[in-house]
């Protein structure tokens, strides 16, 4: 399965404690002021480093944002994987997957809004963190659809890749940070109804 943590274009030894210190300070600055309004110079002042020193570890502000965004998205993937691995039928696994993704995305929006904004920015700009996240979810979804086909729950006539793409498109308004904000007032009913529609369309 694809690792949802992208390459973050670090410079210097990755294990160096300074790198973690930069990410921690950036996390606080982005949460306080927003990603767009924070510069590398702001981060340097916050930590007491020079800009040149920060650039030894990260080649750009985006690289720092990637590290933060990738970590948050990886947490969502890990929580979702755990609920999928609880077992049950393919339909039950899909219901839990979709519900958990929506729940965690909404929690990020309401409880860590500035970091949510970074994830939305990463989706809009097609950062590697966002692309890796979506690819990992697509692989998880394909795994569930394959299981459903193997045990006779889901139809097998439609090409697997077409089926998974269509399902993923239907899920995006509720799990993609770029779109979720416009659909919050539809929850939880819309997510439940879309789940039911998808599962009915998969019936053999």
């Amino acid at each position: 399965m694809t690792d949802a943590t992208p390459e973050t274009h670090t410079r210097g030894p990755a294990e160096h404690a300074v790198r973690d210190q930069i990410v921690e300070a950036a996390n606080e600055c982005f949460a306080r002021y927003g990603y767009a309004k924070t510069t590398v110079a702001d981060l340097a002042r916050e930590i007491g480093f020079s800009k040149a020193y920060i650039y030894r570890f990260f080649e750009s502000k985006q690289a720092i944002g990637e590290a933060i965004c990738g970590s948050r998205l990886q947490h969502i993937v890990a929580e979702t994987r755990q609920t999928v691995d609880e077992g049950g039928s393919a339909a039950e696994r899909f219901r839990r997957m979709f519900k958990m993704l929506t729940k965690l995305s909404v929690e990020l929006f309401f409880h860590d809004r500035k970091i949510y904004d970074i994830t939305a920015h990463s989706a809009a700009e097609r950062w590697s963190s966002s692309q890796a996240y979506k690819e990992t979810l697509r692989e998880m979804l394909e795994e569930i659809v394959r299981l459903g086909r193997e045990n006779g729950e889901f139809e097998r006539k439609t090409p697997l890749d077409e089926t998974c793409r269509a399902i993923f498109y239907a899920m995006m308004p509720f799990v993609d940070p770029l779109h979720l904000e416009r659909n919050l007032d539809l929850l939880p009913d819309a997510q439940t109804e879309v789940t039911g529609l998808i599962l009915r369309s998969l019936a053999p």
Side-chain angles (χ1 to χ4, degrees):
M1 177 173 292
T2 301
D3 186 349
T5 303
E7 179 185 355
T8 54
H9 306 291
T10 59
R11 292 177 174 173
E15 71 278 8
H16 200 292
V18 174
R19 181 177 180 275
D20 294 335
Q21 188 178 354
I22 293 169
V23 171
E24 183 178 349
N27 197 14
E28 293 177 1
C29 283
F30 293 157
R32 190 180 309 127
Y33 305 115
Y35 175 80
K37 294 181 179 179
T38 303
T39 66
V40 173
D42 294 330
L43 297 177
R45 283 194 298 271
E46 183 81 12
I47 310 172
F49 292 159
S50 67
K51 286 173 58 178
Y53 191 65
I54 289 179
Y55 282 128
R56 287 182 57 190
F57 297 89
F58 295 94
E59 66 180 20
S60 64
K61 183 178 78 167
Q62 178 179 327
I64 302 172
E66 287 271 22
I68 294 170
C69 184
S71 176
R72 293 305 178 97
L73 294 177
Q74 182 60 36
H75 171 72
I76 293 176
V77 166
E79 291 289 310
T80 303
R81 166 52 65 185
Q82 183 175 344
T83 195
V84 168
D85 288 346
E86 290 175 4
S89 68
E92 290 168 349
R93 290 169 187 249
F94 175 71
R95 284 192 185 94
R96 291 199 304 269
M97 174 187 177
F98 195 4
K99 185 176 182 179
M100 179 60 74
L101 283 172
T102 304
K103 173 179 178 288
L104 294 174
S105 298
V106 170
E107 286 180 356
L108 185 61
F109 177 86
F110 282 111
H111 300 302
D112 211 344
R113 180 55 192 270
K114 289 295 197 314
I115 303 302
Y116 174 91
D117 289 344
I118 299 177
T119 64
H121 186 85
S122 75
E125 297 295 320
R126 299 175 66 86
W127 287 2
S128 60
S129 53
S130 177
Q131 296 302 100
Y133 173 67
K134 288 182 179 180
E135 181 59 29
T136 302
L137 296 185
R138 276 192 290 263
E139 291 176 359
M140 198 181 303
L141 175 61
E142 181 177 323
E143 175 187 314
I144 293 172
V145 174
R146 284 185 183 277
L147 174 64
R149 290 186 171 198
E150 290 170 2
N151 64 24
E153 286 182 75
F154 299 159
E155 61 89 13
R156 303 179 184 181
K157 294 180 181 179
T158 311
L160 180 64
D161 58 345
E162 179 182 333
T163 296
C164 292
R165 279 198 307 272
I167 295 171
F168 205 62
Y169 296 152
M171 293 170 64
M172 282 301 95
F174 309 107
V175 302
D176 187 332
L178 189 60
H179 305 295
L180 177 64
E181 184 174 1
R182 296 192 293 270
N183 295 289
L184 287 171
D185 59 339
L186 301 178
L187 297 172
D189 294 346
Q191 188 270 332
T192 302
E193 291 170 1
V194 169
T195 298
L197 180 65
I198 290 171
L199 291 175
R200 287 193 296 275
S201 75
L202 291 173

